[in-house]
């Protein structure tokens, strides 16, 4: 069975500085990996996904993530934070077995200081 | 507009009083799923459905029921709600199995059981 660990429950950055959200996963198979964002009082929105193509994945709003199999990591980055990036971020893994289940991380809350 | 619609947005009820949270999608998606979100735990899957009349348990199905009589609707039923079911609930849908494709989320239902 798969699982995912988000290493930081809360990240605080200044506007214009880089953002790094860390995610480690475990999977018995070749995983699919996703990052979702949740703004206050909203549903989740897909930022990007990895499904065994290029290991560097570009998403919406300037975010990107790199799949590193040797480190079992899928960290999310953005070069320059914007106030609108303040939200909760979830790393999600699926090992694409027959139980059709996704595993969500506990989430990382990002605050952006002016 | 393509969307997943949940109702109600907020619900306060008392222990033991049966309730239904509705979920409808207008994208002809095969896959639908229910999640609950609790602080520090991320999202946990309650039930999912691969197609009409096909449902299966997720990670936390106890105390919940679902049905999938039509492709577009996937209601969540709490026959006898208890305070530990106080949570934020999300319905989601996906065109495929939900493992490789984007999940489309509803706006959520905040349930309080007194």
């Amino acid at each position: 069975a798969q699982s995912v660990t988000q290493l930081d429950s809360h990240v605080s950055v200044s506007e214009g500085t880089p953002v790094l959200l860390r995610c480690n996963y475990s999977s018995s198979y070749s995983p699919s990996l996703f990052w979702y964002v949740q703004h206050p009082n909203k549903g989740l929105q897909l930022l990007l996904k990895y499904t065994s193509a290029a290991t560097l994945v570009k998403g919406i709003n300037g975010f990107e993530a790199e799949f590193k199999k040797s480190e079992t990591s899928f960290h999310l980055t953005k070069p320059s934070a914007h106030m609108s990036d303040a939200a909760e971020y979830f790393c999600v893994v699926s090992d694409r077995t027959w139980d059709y289940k996704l595993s969500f991380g506990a989430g990382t809350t990002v605050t952006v200081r002016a | 507009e393509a969307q997943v619609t949940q109702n109600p947005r907020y619900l306060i009820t008392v222990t033991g009083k049966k309730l239904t949270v509705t979920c409808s999608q207008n994208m002809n998606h095969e896959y639908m799923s229910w999640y609950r979100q609790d602080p520090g735990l991320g999202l946990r899957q309650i039930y999912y459905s691969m197609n009409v009349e096909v449902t299966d348990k997720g990670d936390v199905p106890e105390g919940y029921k679902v049905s999938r009589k039509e492709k577009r609707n996937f209601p969540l039923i709490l026959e006898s709600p208890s305070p530990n079911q106080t949570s934020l609930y999300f319905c989601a849908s996906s065109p495929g199995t939900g493992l490789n494709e984007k999940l489309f989320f509803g706006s959520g239902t905040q349930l309080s059981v007194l």
Side-chain angles (χ1 to χ4, degrees):
Chain A
Q2 72 271 20
S3 67
V4 60
T5 303
Q6 292 183 240
L7 299 173
D8 307 289
S9 60
H10 187 233
V11 168
S12 180
V13 297
S14 297
E15 191 175 22
T17 64
V19 181
L20 169 64
L21 305 183
R22 299 181 294 165
C23 172
N24 287 347
Y25 70 92
S26 68
S27 173
S28 302
Y29 301 89
S30 180
S32 292
L33 292 153
F34 309 80
W35 276 100
Y36 282 85
V37 61
Q38 183 182 29
H39 287 95
N41 300 311
K42 301 284 188 182
L44 281 73
Q45 178 186 17
L46 180 68
L47 276 177
L48 50 82
K49 67 176 183 179
Y50 166 80
T51 55
S52 76
T55 56
L56 183 62
V57 182
K58 293 188 183 299
I60 62 172
N61 300 333
F63 285 94
E64 63 180 37
E66 185 171 9
F67 173 70
K68 292 186 176 180
K69 187 174 182 178
S70 61
E71 299 177 10
T72 61
S73 69
F74 190 57
H75 301 336
L76 181 71
T77 60
K78 182 174 180 178
S80 177
H82 190 270
M83 297 299 289
S84 61
D85 295 326
E88 189 160 20
Y89 293 78
F90 294 95
C91 183
V92 183
V93 64
S94 164
D95 64 10
R96 293 180 283 180
T97 58
W98 290 105
D99 61 2
Y100 299 110
K101 290 182 181 177
L102 299 173
S103 293
F104 284 74
T108 299
T109 300
V110 172
T111 57
V112 182
R113 305 183 302 271
Chain B
E1 180 188 356
Q3 60 184 356
V4 177
T5 303
Q6 287 179 237
N7 281 298
R9 187 78 172 84
Y10 300 94
L11 179 58
I12 301 174
T13 190
V14 295
T15 299
K17 185 176 182 180
K18 180 179 178 180
L19 65 91
T20 299
V21 183
T22 63
C23 175
S24 180
Q25 51 93 3
N26 61 1
M27 296 168 280
N28 201 37
H29 284 170
E30 306 286 330
Y31 180 92
M32 297 186 75
S33 183
W34 276 102
Y35 300 87
R36 61 177 288 172
Q37 182 180 13
D38 302 290
L41 296 178
L43 274 73
R44 293 179 292 168
Q45 190 175 45
I46 302 170
Y47 271 94
Y48 64 93
S49 170
M50 299 301 297
N51 211 326
V52 175
E53 302 294 358
V54 180
T55 63
D56 210 344
K57 296 177 180 179
D59 296 316
V60 289
E62 295 78 19
Y64 304 93
K65 287 176 57 177
V66 293
S67 69
R68 187 94 182 270
K69 297 178 181 174
E70 306 165 281
K71 197 171 189 178
R72 63 183 292 126
N73 295 323
F74 190 47
L76 179 69
I77 303 159
L78 284 71
E79 295 270 3
S80 183
S82 63
N84 64 11
Q85 292 178 298
T86 293
S87 187
L88 178 59
Y89 291 85
F90 286 100
C91 180
S93 72
S94 173
T97 63
L99 298 184
N100 297 328
E101 299 86 5
K102 171 182 175 180
L103 281 170
F104 292 77
F105 282 86
S107 297
T109 296
Q110 180 65 58
L111 172 65
S112 295
V113 183
L114 305 177

